[in-house]
Amino acid sequence: MKTLDQIAAELQGYDPLALSATAVNEFLSRMVEPIQQTETLGIFDALGRVLAEDLISPLNVPPHDNSAMDGFAFAGQQLVRGQKLQLKVVGTAMAGRAWHGQVRSGECLKVMTGAVMPAGLDTVVPQELATVQQIGGAEFISIQSGVLATGDNRRLLGEDIQKGQAALRKGATLSPAGLGLIASLGLGQVCVWRKLRVAYFSTGDEILSLGEPPREGAVYDSNRYTIFGLLSRLGVEVIDLGVVPDQPDLLEAAFRRAAHLSDAIITSGGVSVGEADHTKAMMMKLANHPSGDGGVAFWRIAMRPGRPMAVGRIARDSDSSSGLGGTAVLFGLPGNPVAVIVTFLAFVRPALLQMMGSTAKPLPLLRASSAEVIRKKPGRTEYQRGIVSTRPDGSLQVKITGNQGSGVLSSVTAANGLIVLHHDQGNVAIGDQIDVMMFDGVI
Ligand code: AMP
Ligand code: MG
């Protein structure tokens, strides 16, 4: 495991007091490691979990050539350009009940969607394109020329997944379609990485827990609830350690407990420069570990909101029975509620995904036309809260949700996405195309 100093030395021009958002992601991707333990789960418990091995298909899907339509199956070589084709119906094949007779030239088989195609038959005329007639007690169909080509309306054996092929790759997050795919292979269980455990608490003397009476100068804790939501969406095991007042003994106990219980710790508040509180000092104290793996870096990131942040590894007590290695990863987020969300989405989420064993790509950015002028200084990344909507011509536009203060949580609840104004970008004019990270399914 590389120490924080080694990682810093690898990054060109690393300056903890003027770090770009890109450099933060680069640092964190080198700092965190994927968990190693796996578990085997039934399909119903596997939604949102990360596959720990390639899912190799034990069979072909579909397992046989079959009809994609209700209609009549026949050998397509009988189709002749410019000529009507007449065929005698010699039987019926239902889905799930194979038909074992013989279909010769000049004959066809009535088939239902999903019915196995007998050997030699490769084409299905949908019922609505066939004219059925009774001739001398027998049933015949006729097909007009030009309405069909050989191979039409037939699903091939293995066209979805072939036997022996990886249907899903290690590191994939299981989606609803993924669950269906596993079941389509006849498998009832999958091997996934165990859930990541993430402990979090809020710090600050002015932070009230729910249920406490309002007090002058104090505010109710919102960050814990936001972090709970963000983590739950990610599918980790959440460990809520409450609000911790600015007292060294209580902070120490909270950090020790968090490290004992979790793979990663998220705190909010107390990491800004000039903070009078004890959070930073305690992080530094607990980062000491005989292995040398521990450490904590205090950053000023060239971004808005969310400038201060602490990251590192906190030591676990040597008698820790958690079976989790010597250190827990630490993300010390700023206290401002919007800064918490922005730093989580920009930095913590990708790092946690990596720890979860996920190979998910960064969230895709959408391009939308700015409905207003936005002032922006090059040299830092800015995240504004926006509402993306579709204009009558079908193009996308984005508006800002009023007051963009880093404490204004309602600017996030009113938004459906986060506008990302990149490091080198300057002012935005009306009509300029800008990047938006959509919230749907994320927060
Ligand atoms: P700090 O980063 O500790 O300087 O906090 C910055 C601002 O965020 C202050 O106005 C704090 O009161 C506020 N803040 C810190 N923690 C929380 C929290 N858990 N919930 C709501 N506001 C918070
Ligand atoms: Mg504070």
Side-chain angles (χ1 to χ4, degrees), residues 203-206 269-272 275 277:
T203 68
D205 280 343
E206 80 283 26
V271 291
S272 352
E275 275 283 337
D277 67 17

Side-chain angles (χ1 to χ4, degrees), residues 138-282:
E139 196 175 12
F140 284 82
I141 60 162
S142 51
I143 308 166
Q144 296 304 319
S145 88
V147 298
L148 212 64
T150 299
D152 279 359
N153 306 311
R154 170 193 50 165
R155 301 172 183 147
L156 289 173
L157 172 145
E159 74 173 22
D160 186 353
I161 300 156
Q162 277 171 20
K163 186 173 170 173
Q165 191 192 354
L168 288 171
R169 291 281 177 197
K170 176 176 171 175
T173 300
L174 293 173
S175 65
L179 300 189
L181 191 77
I182 295 165
S184 78
L185 306 181
L187 302 175
Q189 295 189 317
V190 271
C191 180
V192 299
W193 297 113
R194 79 155 163 81
K195 265 195 182 182
L196 197 70
R197 299 179 194 132
V198 183
Y200 55 93
F201 55 92
S202 298
T203 68
D205 280 343
E206 80 283 26
I207 309 303
L208 291 175
S209 288
L210 292 181
E212 286 188 72
R215 157 161 58 83
E216 195 185 354
V219 293
Y220 280 109
D221 181 9
S222 63
N223 290 343
R224 250 166 75 220
Y225 301 91
T226 306
I227 290 170
F228 161 79
L230 290 163
L231 290 174
S232 300
R233 279 281 160 86
L234 206 54
V236 304
E237 190 180 315
V238 296
I239 303 164
D240 185 340
L241 297 180
V243 177
V244 182
D246 186 26
Q247 292 174 28
D249 51 337
L250 295 178
L251 280 166
E252 176 160 4
F255 275 114
R256 286 195 187 281
R257 194 162 137 69
H260 178 70
L261 293 173
S262 71
D263 303 294
I265 304 165
I266 300 178
T267 63
S268 69
V271 291
S272 352
V273 177
E275 275 283 337
D277 67 17
H278 302 283
T279 309
K280 290 169 80 172
M282 197 50 67

